[in-house]
Amino acid sequence: MTTTPARPTSRARTSPPLPAPPRPDAPGRSGYARLPQLAGRAFLPVAFLARLPFSMLTIGTLLLVSSTTGSVAIGGLASAATALGTALGGPTQGALADRVGQRRVLLVAVPVATLAVLGLVLAASAPGATAAVLAAAAVTGASAPQVGPLARVRWLRLAADEPRTVEAAMSYESTADEVSFVLGPALVGVLASAGSPQVAVLVAAGGIAVFGTAFALHPTARATLHAPATSSDAGTGTGTTSAATDTVGTLALVRREAVVLVGMLAMGLLFGGTQAALTALARDAGVPGSAGLVYAVMGVGSAVTALSVVALPRRWGLRSRWITFAAGLVAGTVALVLAAASGSLTAVVVAVAATGLFVGPVMVTVFTVAGERAPAGRTASAMTLVASANVVGVAVGASGGGALADAVSTTTAFWLPVVAAVLLVATGVSLTSRPQGERRAGDDERERVV
């Protein structure tokens, strides 16, 4: 059970109070109403606004570089560099957060990311500075604060003894992600239309600086602090820490979360493939600007159903949920292929909406499984690894879907999300029970808030 040890009186006078400690589930005290009680009312809007700039940067980078260089290809490379940077930097942030706490990591990442975005704007405006553009994009992705995964870690600590509240928190976080990835691109479109892509990207930089700092300084960051994991925690038994030990621990974590990582990679593949296919479809229909709006329909349905996951009966296990919802994605993506083949944009919108109904529950389930399988003291590492797998999947799906649309046909590109959904079902079927042995004597003590 997560507890808050007594503090000396002198420190209590100078340290801000922690949010309310977790309490066992009880009628009327679990679910969504419990979230602001645990974290404080300000945390929900702060965490949401802090993740919004990241959703703006993906399309903002593409628009910025494409418009300033006159090359969509270079814009695509910059977007891919951002994704690659996130794939490498995200897990690094998570590992450091497990070791020294989220606040220290974020207070470094936020200014670095802000400066990297400013550098990207400057590099993009300089003629022939492709290398500098790609480097700035990669640093931007690597340093972008991992707000979503780290917020999930805070909820897992704060609601450690409240399973129903944990489900509500994971549902809320998935909904917040979906809404941010609908609003972010829309906000970029408005700012780019009213001003320029540079304005949109600079607004994102300002959001990182302001709301990223607020997220870092929020008192919930203290709830994730614990005694630093030693090499014995990683299975070496030496009682010392080293780079080699960290590598061994990371590899062990990847093995433990392998099924989850493949599942989230498949989700990213579905997202990226769908985005590329819809972009090609809108282009063929002569309404290229509608691709983002059609894709946003998926996010709306996903957000609604993600919130409903908390109402599902506890006896319905995570493995069964995973398989059922992933099967729904298979049906939805197949319907999307048929709608695209019919040439009816209305039918495509309906199919996208139907597919989105299953996206939210799958995301909630996958992140919940990741949290349960994470060993003590490595939750941030696990969450950022899973989030990075999604980013990689989106990059692969977007590039692969675009290549299929150009080389074969737009309808063929829609088969990529079907393959991704089938892979997601397969990973759900292969999911076994939670790995044994991660909770050893002393782990509960290390998990206590300090």
Side-chain angles (χ1 to χ4, degrees):
M1 176 176 177
T2 305
T3 59
T4 304
R7 300 175 182 273
T9 303
S10 60
R11 183 174 179 180
R13 288 194 297 266
T14 59
S15 299
L18 278 169
R23 304 177 185 177
D25 282 346
R29 295 203 61 82
S30 61
Y32 296 114
R34 180 73 172 126
L35 300 185
Q37 295 174 359
L38 282 172
R41 295 185 181 279
F43 179 70
L44 298 179
V46 165
F48 176 78
L49 292 172
R51 81 188 71 200
L52 192 59
F54 183 79
S55 66
M56 296 174 63
L57 286 176
T58 304
I59 190 169
T61 298
L62 178 61
L63 291 176
L64 170 68
V65 178
S66 297
S67 64
T68 55
T69 63
S71 171
V72 177
I74 297 178
L77 285 175
S79 182
T82 303
L84 179 61
T86 302
L88 297 176
T92 301
Q93 288 187 37
L96 290 173
D98 282 330
R99 180 179 292 276
V100 302
Q102 291 189 14
R103 180 169 293 173
R104 293 182 182 180
V105 174
L106 289 167
L107 289 179
V108 172
V110 167
V112 171
T114 303
L115 292 175
V117 175
L118 296 178
L120 177 62
V121 174
L122 293 175
S125 63
T130 302
V133 167
L134 297 181
V139 175
T140 297
S143 58
Q146 296 293 301
V147 176
L150 296 181
R152 286 177 169 88
V153 175
R154 297 187 189 187
W155 290 122
L156 289 173
R157 292 286 193 270
L158 291 170
D161 297 318
E162 304 180 25
R164 182 64 73 181
T165 304
V166 169
E167 289 183 357
M170 295 302 104
S171 297
Y172 167 77
E173 288 298 324
S174 292
T175 301
D177 285 342
E178 291 293 337
V179 173
S180 70
F181 278 99
V182 170
L183 291 181
L187 183 57
V188 168
V190 171
L191 292 173
S193 298
S196 67
Q198 288 89 339
V199 171
V201 174
L202 289 174
V203 168
I208 292 174
V210 175
F211 299 114
T213 301
F215 180 74
L217 296 178
H218 193 274
T220 53
R222 293 171 53 202
T224 63
L225 292 174
H226 51 73
T230 64
S231 59
S232 60
D233 299 326
T236 62
T238 62
T240 60
T241 58
S242 65
T245 296
D246 291 340
T247 301
V248 171
T250 299
L251 292 176
L253 180 63
V254 169
R255 288 195 299 269
R256 183 184 296 273
E257 301 279 6
V259 174
V260 181
L261 292 174
V262 174
M264 191 55 79
L265 183 70
M267 282 300 304
L269 190 65
L270 187 147
F271 292 150
T274 303
Q275 290 172 8
L278 289 175
T279 299
L281 182 69
R283 177 199 62 194
D284 295 345
V287 285
S290 66
L293 293 176
V294 175
Y295 184 74
V297 173
M298 178 183 289
V300 173
S302 174
V304 172
T305 52
L307 289 174
S308 67
V309 171
V310 70
L312 297 175
R314 297 292 305 281
R315 61 179 178 274
W316 190 9
L318 293 174
R319 181 175 181 271
S320 297
R321 293 184 189 184
W322 184 320
I323 296 172
T324 301
F325 297 137
L329 286 178
V330 173
T333 52
V334 169
L336 191 52
V337 172
L338 298 177
S342 72
S344 171
L345 190 58
T346 301
V348 169
V349 172
V350 173
V352 168
T355 303
L357 295 176
F358 299 96
V359 168
V362 169
M363 294 289 285
V364 173
T365 303
V366 172
F367 271 113
T368 301
V369 172
E372 288 200 349
R373 295 174 75 88
R378 299 301 302 275
T379 313
S381 299
M383 290 298 183
T384 49
L385 268 175
V386 172
S388 295
N390 181 266
V391 171
V392 172
V394 170
V396 173
S399 59
L404 285 173
D406 289 342
V408 187
S409 69
T410 298
T411 301
T412 302
F414 278 100
W415 280 104
L416 185 57
V418 177
V419 172
V422 171
L423 177 59
L424 195 59
V425 172
T427 56
V429 171
S430 67
L431 186 66
T432 58
S433 60
R434 179 179 174 184
Q436 299 297 314
E438 73 268 24
R439 297 288 178 180
R440 297 171 297 276
D443 280 351
D444 289 339
E445 180 66 27
R446 286 192 295 271
E447 294 276 80
R448 289 182 181 175
V449 178
V450 298

